[in-house]
């Protein structure tokens, strides 16, 4: 197995289809509005009970949050407004994932099957963070989406930008694991 293939297998964690209808989707679209089309399509095809959106300011969206920018898109796409959980705490991805588990519990929302959804090359770190903060007994799976940059498991090493993004993820995962050991 060559180096790029090994990195691809590690970074691009893929959905294992451990359940068919998530109780909770922890959604991290970043500033990529095109991911909303994919999560709406998923909702219409498979459904889910609740979805989270963070109110942390995003520097790439002029300080606006995913919640501010994308909640109206999700609602207009057919996701009921009362199924969108506003994550009002946390500013780093680590904190946002932690509060994405804590806030629903504080609101007495019951969940077991949790789907972590975001950019495809972010799935391994997202899964590690989910495993760090999920309540015992939770079943976690991931679903990577492709943004307009098209950085995917089979092509990331074709461009400098793709290489930089994936190697950056490796560095962030290394830092995360150093804190866990």
């Amino acid at each position: 197995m060559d180096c790029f293939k090994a990195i691809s297998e590690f970074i691009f964690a893929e959905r294992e289809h451990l359940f068919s209808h998530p109780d909770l989707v922890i959604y991290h679209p970043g500033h990529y509005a095109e991911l909303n089309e994919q999560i709406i399509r998923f909702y219409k095809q498979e459904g889910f009970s609740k979805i989270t959106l963070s109110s942390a300011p995003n520097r790439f969206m002029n300080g606006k949050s995913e919640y501010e920018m994308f909640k109206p898109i999700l609602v207009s796409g057919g996701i009921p407004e009362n199924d969108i959980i506003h994550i009002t705490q946390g500013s780093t991805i680590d904190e946002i994932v932690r509060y994405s588990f804590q806030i629903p519990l504080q609101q007495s929302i019951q969940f077991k099957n949790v789907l972590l959804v975001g950019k495809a090359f972010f799935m391994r770190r997202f899964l590690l963070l989910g495993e760090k903060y999920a309540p015992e007994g939770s079943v976690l799976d991931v679903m990577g989406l492709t943004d307009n940059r098209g950085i995917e498991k089979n092509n990331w090493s074709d461009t400098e930008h793709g290489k930089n993004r994936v190697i950056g993820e490796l560095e962030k995962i290394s830092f995360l694991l150093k804190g866990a050991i």
Side-chain angles (χ1 to χ4, degrees):
M1 179 180 295
D2 70 34
C3 178
F4 289 117
K5 185 174 181 183
I7 292 170
S8 295
E9 292 299 322
F10 178 70
I11 291 293
F12 292 84
E14 295 181 344
R15 189 169 178 204
E16 294 183 34
H17 297 274
L18 300 173
F19 43 80
S20 61
H21 182 89
D23 302 316
L24 179 65
V25 170
I26 297 178
Y27 181 45
H28 182 59
H31 62 283
Y32 299 98
E34 64 271 17
L35 299 184
N36 293 306
E37 297 168 17
Q38 295 169 63
I39 196 68
I40 290 167
R41 189 168 42 252
F42 173 76
Y43 178 76
K44 290 177 179 177
Q45 291 171 349
E46 293 187 42
F48 51 77
S49 298
K50 299 287 182 182
I51 185 170
T52 67
L53 273 176
S54 170
S55 63
N58 187 311
R59 67 180 180 184
F60 298 107
M61 296 189 303
N62 297 320
K64 293 188 177 185
S65 71
E66 295 168 357
Y67 185 82
E68 285 177 273
M69 297 295 290
F70 300 144
K71 178 187 169 199
I73 295 169
L74 298 181
V75 171
S76 70
I79 297 174
E81 185 171 1
N82 62 346
D83 289 345
I84 300 171
I85 301 170
H86 188 187
I87 304 304
T88 56
Q89 295 174 278
S91 58
T92 66
I93 189 59
D94 186 273
E95 293 170 341
I96 292 166
V97 173
R98 177 168 34 114
Y99 289 115
S100 292
F101 285 105
Q102 288 180 356
I103 290 174
L105 289 173
Q106 291 167 355
Q107 295 175 359
S108 299
I109 295 170
Q110 301 297 312
F111 60 86
K112 178 180 179 183
N113 298 327
V114 181
L115 188 63
L116 308 168
V117 180
K119 297 178 298 290
F121 62 87
F122 174 61
M123 289 300 92
R124 180 61 61 192
R125 182 162 51 117
F126 208 176
L127 184 57
L128 290 168
L129 289 168
E131 290 170 343
K132 180 178 178 181
Y133 293 116
E136 192 169 325
S138 298
V139 178
L140 302 179
D141 205 350
V142 297
M143 187 171 78
L145 306 177
T146 303
D147 61 44
N148 286 339
R149 297 171 299 176
I151 300 171
E152 297 178 349
K153 183 177 183 177
N154 62 349
N155 72 359
W156 68 270
S157 62
D158 295 345
T159 66
E160 284 305 309
H161 187 67
K163 288 177 189 175
N164 289 336
R165 294 303 310 204
V166 170
I167 298 304
E169 276 302 306
L170 279 174
E171 291 169 348
K172 291 171 184 171
I173 290 169
S174 173
F175 182 77
L176 177 65
L177 293 174
K178 283 179 185 174
I181 298 174

